[in-house]
Amino acid sequence: MTRPTLESVCRRMARRRSTDLSADPADDRRDTWNAAFFRLPYTRFWHSAKQVERDALLARCTANVLGEALGVEAQAMDYSAKRVLAADNLIEKQVYSLIAAEEARHHRWLSGLQPTVVESGTPAAFAGLLARLVREASPLAQSYLLQIVLEGWGISHYRRLAAASLDAGATRVFAAIAHDEGLHYAAGVAHFDASRLTGAERAFIRIALAELCTLLACGPLAVLHEVERSAGGFAPVERAQAFADLLDRCALRERLDHLARFVAHQGMEADAIWLREQGLLAPLPAATSLHLYSPP
C-alpha cells in the first residue's frame, strides 16, 4: 500500500462535509447496548437480581463506555491543539487543525447520547496514560502511539460499538467516528518515520506500549467493578468466579491480535515481538488481572 502524505490527507479532510449527528436530548432513546454485550447474563448476580437492579447495572456499564469515549475525545482535542502549535510547516498545521475540529465534533455527538455522562467515567488508568502521552511524548512518538496504534485500533473498537448498538442514533455516531478515525490514522502514518526515532523516544514508546497492553489484556475489570458494586461486595472466591464469567478470552485475544498489527508498524516490528515475549499481547492470567483490580 502506498504511504499517504500529509498533503493527500489534508486534501481528503478538507473536501469532507460535516454531518450533524448531535442528538436531541428530548428524543426518546433506547438502551445503547444490551446486557449480553457486557456478558452480564453469564454472572450469578444477574440471575438473582431484581429488574430494577439489572437496569441500574446495565445503565452504569453503558455510562462507563460512553464516559470513556468522551474522555478519549477530550484528550484528542488537547492533543490536536498541541500538534498545531508544534507543527513544523503549514500543511501539518492544517491537518491537525482539521483533526481538532473533528475531535470536537465527536465529543459533541457523544455528549448528546447520554447528557448525564461526564468524563470522570473514563477509567483513571487509561485516562492517565493518554494524558501523559499528550503531555510528555515527542511529536514523532505521539504519531506512532496515539495515531497509528491507538487510533488505528480505535477504528475497530468504534465499529464494534456501532455494530452492537440498539440505538439508531448511537449507531450513526460510532460509525461516523470510526470513519473519521481512518484519516487521523492516515495522518499518523504520513508523519511517522521509525528511522528518525532517538533512543530515548524508543524507550518511552516501549514503556507506553507495555502499559497500554496491560490495560487491554487485563480483561473486563470495569464491568466486574460494577457487578460487585451492585452485589454489595464479593468475597475473593466470588470475585474470581464473576471475573471468569465476564471474561471472553477468545474475543479479548482477537482484540489484542488486532492491536499487535498496529504495534508492528513498519520499523517497529521488534517492539511487537518484545511485547509478545513479555506475554502482553495475550490475555493476562486471571490472578494477575485481579491483582490490578480495585474493589468498589
Side-chain angles (χ1 to χ4, degrees):
M1 184 179 67
T2 304
R3 179 180 172 182
T5 64
L6 285 177
E7 176 66 39
S8 67
V9 173
C10 190
R11 267 200 314 273
R12 291 172 63 190
M13 293 184 72
R15 281 200 305 264
R16 293 160 69 178
R17 296 181 179 178
S18 171
T19 301
D20 185 10
L21 298 180
S22 300
D24 185 342
D27 287 348
D28 291 331
R29 308 198 64 80
R30 300 179 61 189
D31 289 334
T32 310
W33 299 283
N34 62 21
F37 179 75
F38 300 101
R39 292 180 60 86
L40 297 175
Y42 289 89
T43 64
R44 296 179 182 180
F45 169 78
W46 186 260
H47 294 285
S48 63
K50 298 177 182 178
Q51 189 59 49
V52 65
E53 295 172 322
R54 291 181 176 185
D55 291 344
L57 172 56
L58 180 57
R60 290 200 305 274
C61 290
T62 297
N64 283 344
V65 173
L66 292 174
E68 178 182 70
L70 274 166
V72 168
E73 297 303 328
Q75 292 283 354
M77 285 189 282
D78 290 344
Y79 166 64
S80 302
K82 185 175 180 180
R83 290 298 297 268
V84 169
L85 295 174
D88 291 328
N89 51 61
L90 183 59
I91 194 67
E92 195 173 322
K93 190 179 292 287
Q94 288 175 344
V95 165
Y96 285 98
S97 293
L98 289 167
I99 290 176
E102 290 192 342
E103 303 293 13
R105 188 160 58 245
H106 296 168
H107 193 280
R108 183 70 177 179
W109 291 344
L110 289 165
S111 64
L113 294 181
Q114 189 168 329
T116 57
V117 174
V118 294
E119 282 125 38
S120 60
T122 308
F126 187 59
L129 173 60
L130 287 180
R132 191 166 73 254
L133 296 181
V134 171
R135 185 176 62 251
E136 299 178 8
S138 69
L140 195 59
Q142 287 174 338
S143 288
Y144 171 69
L145 289 167
L146 290 170
Q147 291 180 256
I148 293 176
V149 177
L150 275 172
E151 293 209 78
W153 183 85
I155 295 169
S156 62
H157 174 65
Y158 280 128
R159 285 175 177 166
R160 184 174 71 93
L161 296 181
S165 172
L166 305 175
D167 180 81
T171 298
R172 288 193 296 270
V173 165
F174 285 115
I177 292 175
H179 180 263
D180 289 346
E181 299 295 350
L183 279 182
H184 303 179
Y185 165 78
V189 171
H191 179 264
F192 181 70
D193 180 355
S195 68
R196 295 192 290 125
L197 288 170
T198 66
E201 287 172 322
R202 284 189 173 275
F204 183 95
I205 284 172
R206 188 161 285 197
I207 292 170
L209 286 174
E211 186 173 346
L212 170 63
C213 289
T214 299
L215 290 174
L216 294 177
C218 65
L221 295 185
V223 179
L224 174 63
H225 183 277
E226 296 303 341
V227 174
E228 180 165 358
R229 176 181 167 189
S230 296
F234 283 145
V237 173
E238 294 173 315
R239 183 177 300 129
Q241 181 61 55
F243 179 72
D245 294 336
L246 291 168
L247 179 62
D248 183 341
R249 295 188 72 85
C250 290
L252 180 56
R253 186 177 297 277
E254 286 178 4
R255 289 196 283 272
L256 288 167
D257 285 344
H258 190 62
L259 178 72
R261 290 196 286 274
F262 292 105
V263 172
H265 185 74
Q266 185 175 2
M268 305 302 290
E269 297 87 352
D271 295 273
I273 293 171
W274 177 78
L275 288 170
R276 201 170 292 281
E277 290 174 344
Q278 299 299 309
L280 294 174
L281 286 174
L284 294 176
T288 303
S289 295
L290 290 172
H291 183 71
L292 301 172
Y293 174 71
S294 298

